[in-house]
Amino acid sequence: MEIVLRPLIVVGGCVVLTLLIGWATDLLLRKADARHNETPLWELLRRGRIPYQLVLSAALLRGSYEQARLLPDHRVAVGRTLTLVLIGSAAWLVVRIAAAIVETSYSRYARVHRDPARVRRVRTQVSLIMRVVAAVVGVMAVAAMLLTFPAMRAAGASLLASAGILGIVAGVAAQSTLANLFAGLQIAFGDMVRLGDVVVVDGEWGTVEEITLTFLTVRTWDERRITMPVSYFTSKPFENWSRGTPQMTGVVYWHVDHSAPLEAMREKLRDIVRECPAWDGRSAGLTVTDATPNTIEVRALVTAKDSDDVWTVRVTVREQMIRWLCAEHPYALPRVNTADAVPPPGGIPAQDGPATRRAHEPPRTARG
């Protein structure tokens, strides 16, 4: 009877005690969260209740397993398994606690500072710091697990003796990985690019969606994902439209006839941007920037608060201006001359023949 009751009492008691302690801790965290709802710390700490209960259960079972006298022939293997579970769950709990503290600090910073650029910079740094912490804790947990095996402890001395040579070999073999690792840290603390920044990379326009220690993901306007090594952003030039202030100036070009009503186009441009919600009201102007034998190049400059709005303003101005020219001033559209030039003001010289007079006839035009 004792053979059956003793394991049930020991194991069952450990499980029940674990559940009671976990329930009491969760109750205290809920009360703290209700009392201090200005900070998300207590709610974030509740996410670690599963590794917390695993730590409690593994610790209690590891300490009382010998008294249970369960599977005495496999006592060493069971004890080592419980130790491994304890180490892994403890590492998991440490990562959850660190994440809760870091996320709380970030949320407080985001509430105090209203500058989106600074908030994105801190968000990028927090994300990479958490990845570094998780990697360090994971490596330490794996090392601690390996050291529980006597064979690994015996091999430790020889491994340490050759650590210098192994370090050189590993550095040469993994130089690209190490370069990306240091580039990721440089991006995080050098404020080169942040999560949510609008960038142009290799002619592709998109938003930075994810930054890790080794790669960076850009979500393009057509919802594609471009994954690039972070070392690219430390070794090659790229456009960051969100650095500094997000305000931007957009450019719209038209090719129109020389007789286009420029003043009327300027008035129409002002009317278009006034009715466009994406225009920020800072500036809107129209100038002639080039001329060819057949057309002139007209450029409009419009402003907006960010890259998304400046795109909306540009396409709106381009479409409505062309529609207005077609309806009100069709003669201003580009045309192709099919006749020779108009005669000079002094008339046709007397010595010119019929061919010359035909050359000075008024031009006949055809809309292109």
Side-chain angles (χ1 to χ4, degrees):
M1 193 69 177
E2 182 182 357
I3 298 175
V4 178
L5 289 178
R6 181 184 291 270
L8 287 176
I9 293 174
V10 174
V11 177
C14 292
V15 173
V16 171
L17 187 58
T18 298
L19 294 176
L20 287 176
I21 296 176
W23 173 79
T25 305
D26 188 65
L27 180 62
L28 291 176
L29 291 176
R30 279 194 307 230
K31 290 184 177 180
D33 182 53
R35 187 175 302 174
H36 303 283
N37 53 10
E38 74 280 356
T39 174
L41 176 62
W42 310 110
E43 178 63 27
L44 292 173
L45 286 175
R46 290 187 61 207
R47 297 180 182 178
R49 56 184 177 271
I50 294 179
Y52 175 66
Q53 291 178 351
L54 281 176
V55 169
L56 290 176
S57 179
L60 291 174
L61 288 174
R62 185 67 182 86
S64 60
Y65 175 72
E66 294 185 358
Q67 284 72 27
R69 297 178 185 177
L70 181 65
L71 300 175
D73 296 336
H74 303 281
R75 180 174 54 86
V76 176
V78 173
R80 187 165 296 161
T81 301
L82 291 174
T83 301
L84 295 177
V85 173
L86 178 60
I87 294 173
S89 57
W92 187 8
L93 180 61
V94 169
V95 171
R96 285 296 177 89
I97 293 175
I101 295 174
V102 172
E103 284 291 332
T104 302
S105 302
Y106 166 72
S107 62
R108 289 178 178 175
Y109 185 89
R111 284 199 306 268
V112 173
H113 297 82
R114 301 297 181 183
D115 185 2
R118 296 180 63 182
V119 172
R120 288 200 306 271
R121 180 187 64 188
V122 174
R123 180 185 172 192
T124 303
Q125 294 174 351
V126 164
S127 176
L128 292 178
I129 287 173
M130 278 309 307
R131 293 181 184 274
V132 172
V133 170
V136 171
V137 173
V139 169
M140 293 179 63
V142 171
M145 289 179 180
L146 293 177
L147 290 177
T148 58
F149 297 92
M152 296 302 298
R153 288 198 299 266
S158 59
L159 289 175
L160 289 175
S162 59
I165 299 176
L166 289 176
I168 295 174
V169 173
V172 173
Q175 55 182 341
S176 60
T177 302
L178 293 175
N180 283 327
L181 176 64
F182 288 115
L185 295 175
Q186 184 178 353
I187 285 177
F189 297 97
D191 197 24
M192 300 174 58
V193 62
R194 299 155 297 201
L195 291 172
D197 280 3
V198 178
V199 296
V200 179
V201 182
D202 285 342
E204 296 285 352
W205 177 90
T207 304
V208 177
E209 187 176 56
E210 182 181 7
I211 300 177
T212 69
L213 291 176
T214 55
F215 67 88
L216 185 148
T217 302
V218 176
R219 177 172 54 85
T220 61
W221 63 273
D222 54 356
E223 299 185 355
R224 290 179 292 118
R225 302 302 192 275
I226 301 176
T227 301
M228 312 182 70
V230 292
S231 57
Y232 176 92
F233 292 85
T234 59
S235 59
K236 296 183 180 181
F238 64 96
E239 295 183 33
N240 189 341
W241 292 4
S242 301
R243 188 168 180 84
T245 60
Q247 297 174 340
M248 296 194 67
T249 298
V251 181
V252 182
Y253 287 101
W254 298 278
H255 290 274
V256 296
D257 190 75
H258 294 81
S259 60
L262 297 179
E263 289 301 326
M265 291 180 67
R266 291 188 177 97
E267 290 293 333
K268 182 61 179 177
L269 174 65
R270 285 190 283 268
D271 294 339
I272 293 173
V273 295
R274 287 193 194 103
E275 297 175 359
C276 182
W279 183 57
D280 63 357
R282 287 189 296 129
S283 176
L286 187 144
T287 55
V288 178
T289 56
D290 197 5
T292 67
N294 295 322
T295 62
I296 58 175
E297 183 184 74
V298 179
R299 184 190 69 184
L301 297 180
V302 290
T303 59
K305 64 181 180 63
D306 55 32
S307 58
D308 291 334
D309 283 355
V310 82
W311 171 262
T312 302
V313 177
R314 288 176 61 199
V315 296
T316 302
V317 168
R318 183 184 295 111
E319 176 184 347
Q320 295 192 17
M321 184 66 75
I322 293 176
R323 186 183 301 170
W324 176 75
L325 287 174
C326 291
E328 302 294 335
H329 303 279
Y331 63 89
L333 298 176
R335 294 179 291 176
V336 177
N337 291 330
T338 58
D340 297 317
V342 177
I348 302 175
Q351 66 272 21
D352 289 343
T356 305
R357 285 194 293 272
R358 283 197 303 270
H360 291 286
E361 291 177 356
R364 298 184 300 275
T365 59
R367 189 167 300 134

